[in-house]
Amino acid sequence: MKGNEAYTENAVRLLQDLVRLPSFSRDEWQTASHLTKYLFDHNIQVTRVGNNVLAQNKHFRKDRPTLLLNSHHDTVQPNKGYTRDPFDGAVADGKIYGLGSNDAGGALVCLLTTFLHFHEQPDLAYNLVFAASAEEEVSGTDGIESALKFLPPIACAIVGEPTGMEMAVAERGLMVLDGLATGKAGHAARNEGVNALYRAVDDINWIRNYRFEKVSDFLGPVQMQVTAIETDNKTHNIVPPECRFTVDIRVNEMYSLEEVLQVIRMHVQSEVTPRSMRLRSTHISQDHPLVRAGLALGKKPYGSPTTSDKALVSFPALKIGPGESARSHTADE
């Protein structure tokens, strides 16, 4: 029991220390340095890849599968609704308050504490690799994707995020499309030209009303939302020759991003260009040992609407951790 209490005390102190250090995406070097020193102080060899902090168990064996323990240490900017100091890390009512405490500091220190517990055990049936990743909040290319190049082959992973300690076995993918409708400029008074805005509206109505056939048991249907529309017009009397719009698409695990894009291009007049094809939907089988272990503990599987580093890995990954997703990015986290 005393050992468990020590683990808990160290984890709480570490989380408070991390909250007190600014760690905005792409500028999280302070928390990366703190985590590096923390591991060094525990006599663990550390690899630093940019702002990613990596370590593996002491008795690593190439003939055994490797489990990755991953969470991120970057945060968003604090929003204007904060009434507490976002960098205080204060404890009140049994909770730690501060930016990143929920997303994803709690999960990060839990996984790191787990790694420390098993680090020196000589006869594990699997290897353990710990990765505190950067740039997760902005899906940056110098985050987990960059770190994986310096890690051994990974069989599966636990990705730490605030899930209320339930199992996110599926996760929506994200594809953002830039749409461009083209027409021909003309004088509005003479009803000249071809109105690109009207063409865009026709496509937007199709996007609004179309329903993809395959519906996920965990994630539901593919969701498409047009979130912006604009022309270059600075005056009222010109028929716009171009109209741009943006589409936010949340894809279930029943479709690849390429399949969704192909369907859209078949039905719209506008040119649609994806900003990225990286954030793919994911799913881990309920027969996977990680999921079966969770089920045996009474954990419930569900589908997560939010993206994480899970979207950027090619191996099976289970997303789970303390905290609540609804608290992420909120004031007084």
Side-chain angles (χ1 to χ4, degrees):
M1 183 65 182
K2 291 182 179 179
N4 290 338
E5 290 175 353
Y7 275 130
T8 300
E9 291 174 2
N10 288 336
V12 169
R13 282 197 298 269
L14 175 58
L15 180 52
Q16 289 179 297
D17 289 342
L18 293 174
V19 168
R20 290 164 182 157
L21 296 171
S23 54
F24 307 132
S25 298
R26 298 195 174 98
D27 193 27
E28 59 276 85
W29 63 271
Q30 292 185 71
T31 47
S33 296
H34 189 82
L35 288 164
T36 299
K37 183 179 184 302
Y38 187 86
L39 288 164
F40 271 132
D41 289 345
H42 284 80
N43 300 312
I44 296 173
Q45 185 175 347
V46 182
T47 299
R48 175 111 174 235
V49 180
N51 288 329
N52 302 285
V53 180
L54 316 175
Q56 61 186 44
N57 62 298
K58 184 175 181 179
H59 300 283
F60 188 95
R61 290 182 51 171
K62 294 182 178 179
D63 62 339
R64 293 183 179 177
T66 298
L67 169 64
L68 171 65
L69 305 178
N70 161 246
S71 189
H72 66 95
H73 61 99
D74 63 313
T75 71
V76 297
Q77 297 277 343
N79 70 52
K80 295 180 180 180
Y82 265 87
T83 63
R84 297 174 176 267
D85 181 351
F87 303 107
D88 185 21
V91 177
D93 301 321
K95 301 181 179 65
I96 298 174
Y97 287 87
L99 184 65
S101 57
N102 181 75
D103 186 16
L108 177 73
V109 299
C110 285
L111 290 176
L112 178 50
T113 301
T114 301
F115 175 79
L116 292 174
H117 176 77
F118 288 105
H119 175 256
E120 294 195 12
Q121 295 189 23
D123 296 318
L124 296 175
Y126 43 83
N127 300 308
L128 282 180
V129 168
F130 172 75
S133 52
E135 298 192 4
E136 189 272 349
E137 295 290 5
V138 293
S139 304
T141 56
D142 289 329
I144 189 64
E145 288 171 302
S146 175
L148 286 173
K149 300 173 185 176
F150 295 84
L151 295 178
I154 304 297
C156 58
I158 295 175
V159 175
E161 289 282 347
T163 69
M165 288 306 297
E166 299 298 348
M167 298 187 296
V169 298
E171 182 180 273
R172 285 193 180 278
L174 169 62
M175 180 168 58
V176 179
L177 296 182
D178 290 314
L180 175 63
T182 56
K184 183 179 180 181
H187 199 297
R190 293 192 294 268
N191 201 27
E192 296 174 338
V194 178
N195 196 320
L197 198 155
Y198 290 163
R199 287 185 168 178
V201 168
D202 288 342
D203 289 339
I204 288 169
N205 279 329
W206 178 86
I207 291 167
R208 178 183 183 183
N209 294 307
Y210 185 78
R211 300 292 181 267
F212 282 85
E213 180 180 352
K214 300 176 186 177
V215 178
S216 165
D217 290 337
F218 288 108
L219 298 172
V222 173
Q223 296 177 352
M224 299 192 291
Q225 290 283 348
V226 176
T227 56
I229 185 169
E230 64 176 355
T231 71
D232 290 330
N233 277 5
K234 299 296 189 287
T235 182
H236 67 88
N237 58 359
I238 300 174
V239 172
E242 291 186 344
C243 182
R244 288 169 291 279
F245 57 95
T246 303
V247 192
D248 179 293
I249 305 173
R250 307 290 170 152
V251 182
N252 65 26
E253 81 279 15
M254 311 295 288
Y255 293 92
S256 69
L257 299 183
E258 288 82 1
E259 289 173 325
V260 171
L261 181 60
Q262 182 181 21
V263 170
I264 294 170
R265 284 177 168 168
M266 287 172 56
H267 288 87
V268 300
Q269 306 174 75
S270 302
E271 178 184 348
V272 288
T273 304
R275 295 182 183 178
S276 171
M277 302 288 279
R278 295 167 56 238
L279 299 176
R280 298 179 176 274
S281 58
T282 61
H283 178 256
I284 183 171
S285 169
Q286 292 198 67
D287 291 328
H288 193 278
L290 285 176
V291 179
R292 284 194 279 110
L295 292 172
L297 292 171
K299 301 299 178 183
K300 298 178 181 179
Y302 78 100
S304 173
T306 59
T307 58
S308 69
D309 280 339
K310 178 173 158 63
L312 298 172
V313 301
S314 59
F315 39 80
L318 175 65
K319 183 165 76 173
I320 189 170
E324 299 294 338
S325 180
R327 296 179 191 155
S328 300
H329 307 178
T330 63
D332 297 336
E333 180 182 337

